[in-house]
Amino acid sequence: MSEFPLVPASRYACVVDELAERGWSVQEQFLPEVLAQALERDCRSLWQQDDLTPAAIGRGEGPLVVPEIRGDYTRWLDECPPTAAGRAYMTLMDGLREALNRSLFLGLDTFETHYALYPPGAGYQRHLDRFQDSPLRTISVVAYLNSVWQPGDGGELRLFLPGGERDVAPRAGTVVIFTSADVEHEVLASRFERASLTGWFRRRPDNPLLR
């Protein structure tokens, strides 16, 4: 039995309804507090041990590290030492994947996620999450792990929506879910270290050579 509380089915249903209606959902206190705290400890431990590396933009043969565009440091969760918190988070995401497939018929097959830590002053310029040469990333998920965040600390996620911009505070437990191909977004510069798990639900490729 997991040491972390389960997420009620009603929270999954709320995400499904909001994605169907508008293509994005912001869920405060979606992560149980003890899980968010444990994941934050894991992320900051990796940072302190120099186990996070500068993130690049692009992919294939052309990824580049350009701190002026993207300034976070990352490590894929499946490449990290296994922890109870990491396993609980993946179980939570699997429940969300099943809810999305059951109600929205998205055909989501896998979930990939990495820790992301932004040092003070770092951000990520406006972008979409889906690669131009691959349609597989379908739903983006950002889970925040900053237990001591206060208004004025910066680091908000800015969503560019049809009705205007919306800024989301990177407060621990908040999870943002949106369609990867449609919702442009950016990470505003933070005054302090900003930690999160950023990931994507991917659908199974029609062509097995497509990744």
Side-chain angles (χ1 to χ4, degrees):
M1 182 175 180
S2 174
E3 62 188 275
F4 303 105
L6 298 176
V7 173
S10 59
R11 299 302 302 270
Y12 292 139
C14 185
V15 172
V16 168
D17 290 344
E18 292 185 348
L19 280 180
E21 178 183 353
R22 62 193 186 189
W24 60 276
S25 177
V26 176
Q27 297 290 320
E28 296 183 356
Q29 299 179 328
F30 189 81
L31 293 185
E33 183 177 5
V34 292
L35 177 56
Q37 291 172 346
L39 290 167
E40 180 179 22
R41 288 193 298 269
D42 289 349
C43 180
R44 296 192 184 281
S45 177
L46 292 168
W47 174 245
Q48 292 163 4
Q49 296 170 26
D50 292 327
D51 285 336
L52 303 178
T53 58
I57 57 174
R59 70 175 199 147
E61 298 179 357
L64 298 172
V65 175
V66 186
E68 296 80 9
I69 296 176
R70 180 181 182 181
D72 58 327
Y73 288 69
T74 67
R75 185 171 180 180
W76 293 103
L77 183 60
D78 62 4
E79 297 177 355
C80 296
T83 67
R87 289 190 293 270
Y89 183 71
M90 292 301 291
T91 297
L92 187 158
M93 288 295 109
D94 197 52
L96 179 57
R97 181 186 64 82
E98 291 178 355
L100 292 169
N101 281 342
R102 184 168 55 249
S103 298
L104 302 181
F105 308 102
L106 295 178
L108 304 177
D109 182 46
T110 59
F111 180 68
E112 58 182 8
T113 189
H114 61 62
Y115 285 111
L117 190 138
Y118 289 79
Y124 193 166
Q125 292 183 13
R126 183 172 177 170
H127 65 284
L128 285 171
D129 280 348
R130 178 176 285 183
F131 295 117
Q132 292 184 353
D133 63 345
S134 173
L136 301 185
R137 283 185 177 179
T138 304
I139 300 294
S140 300
V141 181
V142 186
Y144 291 110
L145 311 175
N146 306 290
S147 57
V148 297
W149 185 90
Q150 297 293 326
D153 286 350
E156 292 87 355
L157 178 70
R158 175 165 292 172
L159 303 176
F160 296 92
L161 305 169
E165 300 171 358
R166 169 160 180 172
D167 290 349
V168 181
R171 189 179 295 111
T174 295
V175 177
V176 186
I177 307 100
F178 54 89
T179 53
S180 303
D182 305 310
V183 179
E184 290 188 306
H185 53 286
E186 71 174 304
V187 176
L188 305 183
S190 175
R191 295 174 56 203
F192 303 100
E193 292 176 359
R194 173 193 185 276
S196 66
L197 273 163
T198 301
W200 301 271
F201 288 109
R202 293 163 55 95
R203 67 175 179 82
R204 182 182 296 107
D206 298 327
N207 181 348
L209 298 179
L210 183 64
R211 292 291 182 266

